[in-house]
Amino acid sequence: MSGYDRALSVFSPDGHVFQVEYALEAVKRGTCAVGVKGRDVVVLGCERRSALKLHDPRTTPSKLCAVDDHITLCFAGLNADARVLVDRARLEAQNHRINLADPASVEYITKHIAGLQQRYTQSGGVRPFGISTLIGGFDPQSDKPNLYHTEPSGIFSSWKANAIGRSSKTVHELLDKLWEEDMDEQKTVELAVKSLLEVVQTGNQNIEVAVLRPNKEMEVLADDYLDEIVRRIEDEKAKEAEEKQSRRRHDD
Amino acid sequence: MDILLGIRTQNEVLLITSRSLARGISVLKSDDVKVLECNKHTALAFSGEPGDTTNFVEFIRANVRLYGFQNKQELTTHAVASYARKELATSLRSRKPYQVNILVAGHNGTPELHWIDYLGTNVTLPYAAHGYASYYVLSTLDRWWTETLTLEEGLELARKCIDELEKRMPIDFKGCNIHVVDQNGVRLHE
Amino acid sequence: MSNRYDSRTTIFSPEGRLYQVEYAMEAISHAGTALGILAKDGIVLAAEKKVSSKLLEQETSAEKMYVLSKNIICVVAGIDSDASTLVETARKMALQHFATYDEEIPVEVLVKRICNVMQGYTQFGGLRPYGVSFIFAGWDSSQGFQLYQSNPSGNYTGWLATSVGANTTSAQTLLKQEYKPDSTLEEACDQAMLIMSKTMDSSALTSTKLEFATIKASSDGAEYNVYKPKDIEPLIEKVKSTTQ
């Protein structure tokens, strides 16, 4: 402490860049988002922003953002920061198409976003972006799923499944336990929804999920389809709990 | 000598473009495509100085796509045409203007065709042509075009125009591509 | 502790908060109440004007309602001078869009662009964020009537009915009670007036203390109407007669 966190981003004597660490706190205060890779699918899901009664669901901005036809991003942290960062990624995606005559790879866009985030930890008069992102998609003419994670510091990494934002630790543990190789689309969606339900109250209305498939635009799952999955998972959970209880009774 | 032709029918717009790509006295390519899908419901047909053309239409497409992604809604055909016109008009007053003529064809509920030249003229027309081809086909189109053409009738009219061009044009333009823009988007008609 | 993170440019506090932004919101919570209600055939905006003097000209000094373009109006709560510069920017953006595309700017596109400007002041530009919240009401051909609210952080959300300013909590509660999904603009106007009458600090509702505007469907899209004091009177009378 003692002033090393006041100037925008400088090292403290023990080697911390406080502004970046505090930006991570802003991420932790954000709503939760998850990404799960399946065999030939990537599923991104997030908590819908507090669905208050008077919110207009038609016009409230979504946290699932298409960067290009084949790349989708979701984020946790400051919404306004995310909007600006995503727009710059979209610009880069189109620039890539103009300059290279090909769509950008998911990794390229990830690197670009992470690079931007890094720049805002090392320039004068600015604060870092208060967001972490999960970037999913398929490279052109490929059916290998990609899922990347970026942080305010500019670090990026590739994941089989990951979670960011509020209670992401709990979700991460669940994903750690349940993720397996070669999941089909339905299983991948179910895992994403299940992990979100760990942190979201009253399920169905408060989450949104996008499914990304090779050489296709993302599909945001319709509400009633999502409801069905949520109900199935909740039933399963209830049954499990019941079994556990009856077993306990049996033991007595 | 590139051929650029647009015909609006009742439910679609047809874009007819020559397949030859010539430079000086040589034909470099006989399967050239002079139509670019700009967004899901809008296509650009282009002719002019080679290089300028590709550069210009790809620039327009990139910005139209960017608008779509950033604003979660696609530009209408009318908006695309206005934007392209504005870029050409700006370019005309620069040190080296784009020498590009375009047709903008789209379908937002109704079919729509815009004729735009390198001077920044933008007009909405039922049928339109750029370049020398216009001298040969406009009379044919004046005679046969009606407000209620079906796709088949439109294609037949296109055929008439191409026949006329094959008869009168002093060059071999290697046949024509016909693109159809309708409510389902842009497709190459076989 | 907190005062170490609230001077100079906007920076993160150890808990990941932006105090400057939170203080800006605090400033807004002292401003006169403003609200917006989305009806099926239009939108109504209403605002409380804090009249400082009887000598103030009423006819010419609309303080809170601004017309941004043919299809978008807004009401502001917060620092008026901050609002003025943003309104000017917004009008330029709207006209730029019209000049380029020959179409009116879609409501969300304008809202987003203004909010991007506001976001910039929380991250790199200037010394403090903008101290204003807007309620935007507008119409466009793809989404119809839309109501948005922005705040100094650069966030915005879409609403069916919303409020900002001094008595926003009570206004919000009343909106929740009163809001009917299928009400007409006329009904929404009455609701707005009723809620203003219940939430305003002053006891007597007068046209000098109120600003009122609507945007409604017209033959070529939408038309706005920023009320003159004499147009507000009948609405006040109506509320008075129903509440008595």
Side-chain angles (χ1 to χ4, degrees):
Chain A
M1 297 291 191
S2 70
Y4 289 99
D5 50 355
R6 281 206 57 189
L8 293 190
S9 17
V10 294
F11 281 115
S12 72
D14 47 355
H16 292 277
V17 182
F18 280 114
Q19 272 300 301
V20 173
E21 291 177 16
Y22 299 166
L24 266 172
E25 293 300 315
V27 172
K28 282 185 201 153
R29 295 159 63 88
T31 50
C32 185
V34 300
V36 185
K37 242 175 356 190
R39 190 196 316 130
D40 47 10
V41 70
V42 185
V43 178
L44 294 176
C46 56
E47 225 177 303
R48 197 174 288 187
R49 288 182 220 170
S50 56
L52 297 174
K53 191 187 160 211
L54 289 178
H55 261 161
D56 190 347
R58 189 175 55 111
T59 50
T60 297
S62 162
K63 287 188 15 168
L64 295 164
C65 315
V67 176
D68 201 344
D69 287 337
H70 60 300
I71 301 173
T72 298
L73 173 157
C74 65
F75 62 88
L78 306 180
N79 294 321
D81 283 21
R83 205 179 53 230
V84 170
L85 189 65
V86 170
D87 273 0
R88 293 177 66 170
R90 286 166 170 159
L91 176 63
E92 185 60 22
Q94 295 310 316
N95 267 334
H96 191 285
R97 280 176 185 261
I98 276 211
N99 295 331
L100 284 302
D102 268 324
S105 65
V106 184
E107 188 187 2
Y108 178 88
I109 290 296
T110 306
K111 273 186 181 164
H112 184 79
I113 289 174
L116 276 169
Q117 286 182 296
Q118 193 285 137
R119 215 179 306 154
Y120 278 76
T121 70
Q122 215 190 3
S123 327
V126 303
R127 63 162 173 84
F129 279 99
I131 53 166
S132 282
T133 69
L134 288 173
I135 303 165
F138 290 84
D139 293 346
Q141 268 86 55
S142 153
D143 48 13
K144 185 179 147 286
N146 291 284
L147 177 66
Y148 288 93
H149 170 226
T150 77
E151 281 181 20
S153 59
I155 294 172
F156 73 94
S157 41
S158 174
W159 292 81
K160 297 181 168 77
N162 202 356
I164 51 178
R166 191 167 66 87
S167 320
S168 53
K169 221 170 160 188
T170 327
V171 182
H172 200 113
E173 276 163 18
L174 183 95
L175 288 168
D176 223 14
K177 208 166 63 191
L178 296 181
W179 191 88
E180 40 193 290
E181 295 282 349
D182 250 9
M183 290 189 293
D184 61 16
E185 184 178 311
Q186 194 186 350
K187 244 177 147 180
T188 319
V189 172
E190 275 176 8
L191 178 54
V193 174
K194 196 182 261 178
S195 54
L196 274 174
L197 288 180
E198 283 289 294
V199 290
V200 180
Q201 320 91 323
T202 63
N204 43 5
Q205 291 313 311
N206 290 336
I207 57 174
E208 48 189 346
V209 175
V211 179
L212 321 178
R213 309 183 180 94
N215 304 312
K216 286 215 180 81
E217 287 173 34
M218 73 151 161
E219 183 197 352
V220 179
L221 293 183
D223 278 348
D224 36 354
Y225 180 65
L226 209 53
D227 278 356
E228 201 185 295
I229 299 174
V230 169
R231 216 170 309 127
R232 201 158 56 219
I233 291 170
E234 277 172 352
D235 283 353
E236 226 167 81
K237 257 191 207 160
K239 209 186 282 170
E240 250 168 57
E242 210 173 281
E243 261 169 38
K244 217 182 258 172
Q245 209 151 34
S246 71
R247 218 175 303 140
R248 199 170 309 143
R249 242 178 277 136
H250 213 73
D251 288 346
D252 291 343
Chain B
M1 286 284 198
D2 290 343
I3 295 166
L4 225 57
L5 211 66
I7 304 173
R8 194 192 74 205
T9 54
Q10 199 169 20
N11 296 313
E12 50 275 306
V13 183
L14 308 181
L15 288 173
I16 298 111
T17 51
S18 54
R19 293 157 59 103
S20 82
L21 181 84
R23 189 173 170 80
I25 54 166
S26 316
V27 171
L28 303 182
K29 209 165 180 262
S30 52
D31 57 353
D32 190 34
V33 180
K34 297 182 179 63
V35 170
L36 188 84
E37 185 178 327
C38 201
N39 61 23
K40 279 193 195 88
H41 54 257
T42 309
L44 298 175
F46 50 93
S47 69
E49 180 71 23
D52 274 18
T53 49
T54 334
N55 215 253
F56 180 74
V57 291
E58 284 187 356
F59 173 75
I60 295 295
R61 176 173 66 176
N63 278 102
V64 168
R65 284 176 58 98
L66 183 63
Y67 186 101
F69 279 110
Q70 290 193 337
N71 301 312
K72 290 182 297 181
Q73 49 181 298
E74 293 291 343
L75 286 172
T76 60
T77 305
H78 179 87
V80 172
S82 304
Y83 169 59
R85 189 212 77 82
K86 189 162 197 276
E87 287 296 334
L88 283 172
T90 311
S91 155
L92 184 68
R93 287 147 185 90
S94 73
R95 199 175 49 78
K96 189 179 178 298
Y98 278 118
Q99 290 181 39
V100 182
N101 300 313
I102 58 173
L103 294 174
V104 183
H107 195 292
N108 307 90
T110 51
E112 204 175 310
L113 175 66
H114 294 260
W115 181 95
I116 301 170
D117 69 2
Y118 74 102
L119 296 167
T121 319
N122 175 12
V123 275
T124 316
L125 293 168
Y127 48 87
H130 273 299
Y132 289 111
S134 62
Y135 298 117
Y136 303 111
V137 300
L138 284 182
S139 52
T140 309
L141 288 162
D142 284 339
R143 171 65 185 83
W144 296 107
W145 186 88
T146 59
E147 193 67 56
T148 54
L149 290 177
T150 63
L151 175 59
E152 282 67 36
E153 288 164 346
L155 289 168
E156 199 184 314
L157 180 53
R159 195 71 255 163
K160 271 197 182 80
C161 293
I162 296 169
D163 286 347
E164 192 65 21
L165 290 167
E166 271 169 353
K167 197 187 287 173
R168 307 284 177 193
M169 287 275 274
I171 55 151
D172 177 9
F173 53 83
K174 305 292 178 195
C176 284
N177 287 320
I178 301 178
H179 284 80
V180 180
V181 186
D182 61 13
Q183 58 188 357
N184 301 318
V186 186
R187 66 172 191 275
L188 179 65
H189 183 78
E190 296 305 328
Chain C
M1 194 48 200
S2 69
N3 62 6
R4 292 184 45 209
Y5 303 98
D6 53 11
S7 58
R8 301 167 60 175
T9 329
T10 319
I11 57 171
F12 285 112
S13 77
E15 315 91 77
R17 290 160 62 173
L18 298 171
Y19 277 116
Q20 272 295 309
V21 172
E22 292 183 18
Y23 295 164
M25 295 195 204
E26 184 63 27
I28 290 160
S29 71
H30 299 304
T33 315
L35 62 81
I37 301 175
L38 178 72
K40 67 178 177 201
D41 55 345
I43 305 170
V44 53
L45 297 179
E48 175 189 5
K49 192 153 53 168
K50 297 235 160 135
V51 185
S52 47
S53 162
K54 253 193 348 203
L55 295 174
L56 195 68
E57 281 286 12
Q58 293 304 320
E59 284 292 331
T60 49
S61 48
E63 289 171 23
K64 288 163 167 287
M65 300 287 175
Y66 292 95
V67 176
L68 301 182
S69 74
K70 219 180 119 197
N71 56 330
I72 306 168
I73 56 174
C74 72
V75 56
V76 303
I79 304 173
D80 285 347
S81 53
D82 283 17
S84 306
T85 64
L86 278 171
V87 164
E88 192 183 313
T89 314
R91 287 173 174 167
K92 279 183 191 157
M93 285 170 175
L95 284 173
Q96 189 66 49
H97 191 282
F98 188 71
T100 306
Y101 301 106
D102 192 31
E103 278 174 12
E104 294 293 341
I105 193 166
V107 188
E108 191 176 353
V109 176
L110 182 63
V111 171
K112 180 174 157 172
R113 288 191 190 166
I114 299 166
C115 286
N116 282 355
V117 174
M118 288 200 261
Q119 191 284 145
Y121 278 78
T122 76
Q123 190 176 208
F124 37 84
L127 285 175
R128 61 165 177 86
Y130 277 105
V132 275
S133 268
F134 285 98
I135 298 178
F136 298 96
W139 179 91
D140 59 57
S141 54
S142 73
Q143 297 269 27
F145 288 105
Q146 297 152 71
L147 182 68
Y148 294 95
Q149 184 189 137
S150 74
N151 69 35
S153 69
N155 277 350
Y156 69 90
T157 28
W159 295 85
L160 301 167
T162 186
S163 67
V164 282
N167 298 311
T168 189
T169 19
S170 63
Q172 206 68 253
T173 320
L174 286 165
L175 282 170
K176 258 183 226 163
Q177 281 168 19
E178 296 286 325
Y179 184 79
K180 290 178 202 76
D182 272 321
S183 59
T184 62
L185 182 59
E186 205 187 328
E187 289 164 346
C189 285
D190 295 344
Q191 285 168 9
M193 195 54 88
L194 184 75
I195 293 167
M196 288 310 286
S197 74
K198 286 186 182 166
T199 51
M200 270 165 62
D201 295 327
S202 55
S203 51
L205 201 58
T206 61
S207 61
T208 54
K209 290 201 172 66
L210 268 178
E211 285 191 41
F212 213 81
T214 58
I215 186 159
K216 65 174 185 217
S218 77
S219 53
D220 63 336
E223 64 183 18
Y224 56 80
N225 180 14
V226 181
Y227 284 54
K228 293 264 180 290
K230 66 172 180 355
D231 304 327
I232 301 178
E233 293 296 348
L235 287 165
I236 297 178
E237 290 309 316
K238 204 166 161 191
V239 169
K240 276 184 183 154
S241 64
T242 50
T243 46
Q244 269 160 12

